[in-house]
């Protein structure tokens, strides 16, 4: 195939250069030029483009009035793996492009092989493009997963043009590209896995999906070093972005929808990695609790609401004498927010950790981004600092502001009900989340409503 001309485009200002330069000739930014296939505008050469009357640049296109466009509901095919369908918003959509990101070894290939096999058994033709493993390795995994007599077609290939030609010839209902970082196009001189290659290949595959109706799933590794060539650069191109979370040392894995043009975001699917692949966990509310027989200092359970399901997660803190520049570390929680909460604790509740190392951790490798974790984090830190455990059956949630105010969390009633269902008996929550006076109480749960962080500290002290 004849090579098309490539140019280098600046990611900052859009300026172009015929050859690669370290510094953009237009805006002067460093390391921003990325190789792209040059596409001259139809009907005009790049040079005279702006001297041409606008109508000559290309034909006009038809317009449609919004209210007259028929809004047909998207037609989805369930994969048959309930927890995956939940994050996809019901199933795969013809022509839809999904990106699944996650650390190496977390279970992306396993889940997708299970999903395409289930689809194939349901009569949808599935094609698995394996760029990382040979056909034999994929077969070995399918045996391990107990997928006997699987009819899924496997294509061990990494060259984009060949992959697209094969997809075009077979027109499967779903194709998995495992992984997008291994695919390369002949049109670019950059190495496979580089930003330029990953972007160009994903763009071609997306165009193919839209034109053919084949649903495409791109697998992307999150690279430890800033994820430069990782899935992040593709998020804007695709319809759905899913990320795998979880600690590879624990068996639980979460799949979270970050973006979904066909469904709700922030929905999560919960899986357990077993001997025979990933199994859905349909009732995950209690899996992120470590089982202490007796309460220990520095541990507070919170109720987080992930998508549509409340889950109980244990927050642990360890506060210990630090050196001249004490450390603040968090796993599964935002570090900047931790610094802010420590400042609020000091200023409004008189709890000083200036000369202490502070570590906080959300148990089980779960990541909590909602501010409703604030109250639990602050109580866990205080508990560790004082060496005093929380009472048995204690939970807390609520956002804490810079002025020390405790703000409500969305859907507080659901969170409280889930805690009561799992046998928790004492809750400290924002006032607006507590049941209103005169309304029905939540059985088995004593609720302390607070409006300020100082109040929350007082309540806890009185509970001792
Ligand atoms: P894999 O799907 O290869 O991860 P990724 O594609 O995200 O890199 O999963 C690899 C891990 O899962 C590996 O450590 C082995 C484990 N595993 C099981 O525990 N059970 C199984 O049935 C399979 C297939 C893998
Ligand atoms: Mg893999």
């Amino acid at each position: 195939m004849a090579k098309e001309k490539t140019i280098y485009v600046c990611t900052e200002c859009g300026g172009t250069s015929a050859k690669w330069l370290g510094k953009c000739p237009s805006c002067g930014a460093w390391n921003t030029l990325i190789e792209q296939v040059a596409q001259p505008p139809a009907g005009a050469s790049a040079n005279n483009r702006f001297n041409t009357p606008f109508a000559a640049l290309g034909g006009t296109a038809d317009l449609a009035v919004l209210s007259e466009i028929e809004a047909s509901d998207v037609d989805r095919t369930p994969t048959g793996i309930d927890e995956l369908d939940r994050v996809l918003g019901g199933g795969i959509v013809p022509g839809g492009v999904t990106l699944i990101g996650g650390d190496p070894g977390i279970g992306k290939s396993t889940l997708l092989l299970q999903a395409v096999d289930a689809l194939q058994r349901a009569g949808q033709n599935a094609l698995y493009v394996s760029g990382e493993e040979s056909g034999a390795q994929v077969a070995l995994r399918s045996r391990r997963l107990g997928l006997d007599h699987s009819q899924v077609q496997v294509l061990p290939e990494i060259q984009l043009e060949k992959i697209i030609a094969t997809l075009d010839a077979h027109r499967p209902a779903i194709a998995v590209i495992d992984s997008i970082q291994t695919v390369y196009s002949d049109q670019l001189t950059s190495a496979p896995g580089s930003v330029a290659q990953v972007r160009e290949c994903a763009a071609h595959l997306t165009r193919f999906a839209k034109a053919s109706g084949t649903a495409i799933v791109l697998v992307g590794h999150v690279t430890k070093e800033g994820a430069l060539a990782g899935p992040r650069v593709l998020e804007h191109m695709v319809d759905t972005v899913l990320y795998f979370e979880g600690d590879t040392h624990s068996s639980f894995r979460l799949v979270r929808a970050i973006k979904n043009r066909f469904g709700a975001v922030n929905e999560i699917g919960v899986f357990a990695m077993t001997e025979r692949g990933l199994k859905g966990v349909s009732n995950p509310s209690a899996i992120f609790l470590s089982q202490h027989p007796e309460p220990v200092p520095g541990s507070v359970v919170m109720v987080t609401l992930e998508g549509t399901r409340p889950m109980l997660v244990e927050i642990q803190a360890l506060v210990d004498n630090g050196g001249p520049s004490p450390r603040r570390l968090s796993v599964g929680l935002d570090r900047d927010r931790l610094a802010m909460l420590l400042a609020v604790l000091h200023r409004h509740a008189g709890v000083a950790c200036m000369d202490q190392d502070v570590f906080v951790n959300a148990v089980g490798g779960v990541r909590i981004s909602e501010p409703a974790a604030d109250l639990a984090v602050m109580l866990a830190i205080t508990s560790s600092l004082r060496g005093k455990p929380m009472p048995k059956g204690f939970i807390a949630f609520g956002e804490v502001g810079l002025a020390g105010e405790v703000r409500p969390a969305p859907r507080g009633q659901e969170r409280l009900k889930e805690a009561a269902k799992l046998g928790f008996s004492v809750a400290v929550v924002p006032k607006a989340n507590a049941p209103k006076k005169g309304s029905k109480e939540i059985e088995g749960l004593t609720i302390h409503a607070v409006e300020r962080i100082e109040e929350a500290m007082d309540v806890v002290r009185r509970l001792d």
Side-chain angles (χ1 to χ4, degrees), residues 79 92 116 119 124-128 167 172-176 214-217:
T79 62
I92 59 155
V116 290
L119 280 164
Q124 305 278 329
N125 276 331
L127 205 153
Y128 191 95
L167 291 180
I174 180 166
V176 172
T214 292
I216 291 190
V217 181

Side-chain angles (χ1 to χ4, degrees), residues 266-349:
N266 255 328
E267 192 59 86
I268 62 164
V270 185
F271 295 92
M273 182 61 94
T274 68
E275 290 279 284
R276 307 193 98 198
L278 288 158
K279 294 255 167 1
V281 179
S282 53
N283 185 10
S285 58
I287 61 176
F288 295 107
L289 300 177
S290 61
Q291 314 287 339
H292 310 291
E294 283 304 314
V296 292
S299 153
V300 174
V301 176
M302 76 163 293
V303 194
T304 175
L305 210 104
E306 297 290 353
T308 50
R309 288 181 298 194
M311 287 201 308
L312 281 92
V313 178
E314 180 179 333
I315 307 289
Q316 296 182 331
L318 179 68
V319 179
D320 200 15
N321 283 340
S325 50
R327 283 179 293 175
R328 276 91 183 79
L329 272 179
S330 64
V331 180
L333 293 149
D334 183 28
R335 198 156 64 138
D336 292 335
R337 198 150 185 103
L338 170 62
M340 188 190 100
L341 296 179
L342 286 171
V344 175
L345 254 185
H346 179 221
R347 181 65 182 266
H348 296 286

Side-chain angles (χ1 to χ4, degrees), residues 50-282:
F50 294 106
N51 299 327
T52 317
F54 286 122
L57 289 174
T60 57
D62 293 336
L63 298 176
V65 175
L66 185 57
S67 60
E68 285 166 14
I69 302 174
E70 235 174 279
S72 52
D73 202 18
V74 241
D75 153 32
R76 302 158 205 272
T77 313
T79 62
I81 299 178
D82 291 348
E83 291 295 306
L84 180 62
D85 289 337
R86 170 190 283 276
V87 277
L88 286 171
I92 59 155
V93 177
V97 181
T98 305
L99 172 69
I100 295 202
D103 291 337
I106 200 153
K108 302 180 293 296
S109 305
T110 304
L111 180 62
L112 289 172
L113 196 59
Q114 288 178 276
V116 290
D117 184 72
L119 280 164
Q120 179 78 47
R121 281 172 209 264
Q124 305 278 329
N125 276 331
L127 205 153
Y128 191 95
V129 181
S130 176
E132 303 202 330
E133 292 163 332
S134 65
Q137 284 170 304
V138 178
L140 201 67
R141 175 182 284 122
S142 83
R143 304 285 190 291
R144 183 164 170 200
L145 293 171
L147 309 176
D148 299 331
H149 314 295
S150 178
Q151 297 299 305
V152 172
Q153 311 249 24
V154 179
L155 170 67
E157 180 58 64
I158 55 173
Q159 204 222 318
L160 177 75
E161 287 73 18
K162 274 197 198 147
I163 293 172
I164 291 191
T166 313
L167 291 180
D168 196 31
H170 290 267
R171 293 291 175 114
I174 180 166
V176 172
I177 314 292
D178 190 358
S179 68
I180 188 67
Q181 274 114 340
T182 55
V183 179
Y184 77 97
S185 163
D186 266 350
Q187 305 296 329
L188 299 179
T189 48
S190 326
S194 64
V195 179
Q197 284 285 7
V198 167
R199 277 229 290 232
E200 190 70 21
C201 293
H204 275 284
L205 287 162
T206 304
R207 244 172 278 147
F208 174 78
K210 302 294 164 202
S212 65
T214 292
I216 291 190
V217 181
L218 305 174
V219 176
H221 295 296
V222 176
T223 51
K224 284 266 167 0
E225 302 77 32
L228 189 66
R232 294 256 132 166
V233 298
L234 305 178
E235 284 179 357
H236 67 282
M237 277 185 211
V238 301
D239 299 308
T240 306
V241 178
L242 308 181
Y243 276 107
F244 254 99
E245 289 174 15
D247 188 344
T248 28
H249 305 296
S250 102
S251 64
F252 294 111
R253 303 282 187 277
L254 300 185
V255 177
R256 191 187 295 264
I258 301 291
K259 163 180 173 179
N260 197 347
R261 288 187 183 144
F262 307 119
V265 285
N266 255 328
E267 192 59 86
I268 62 164
V270 185
F271 295 92
M273 182 61 94
T274 68
E275 290 279 284
R276 307 193 98 198
L278 288 158
K279 294 255 167 1
V281 179
S282 53

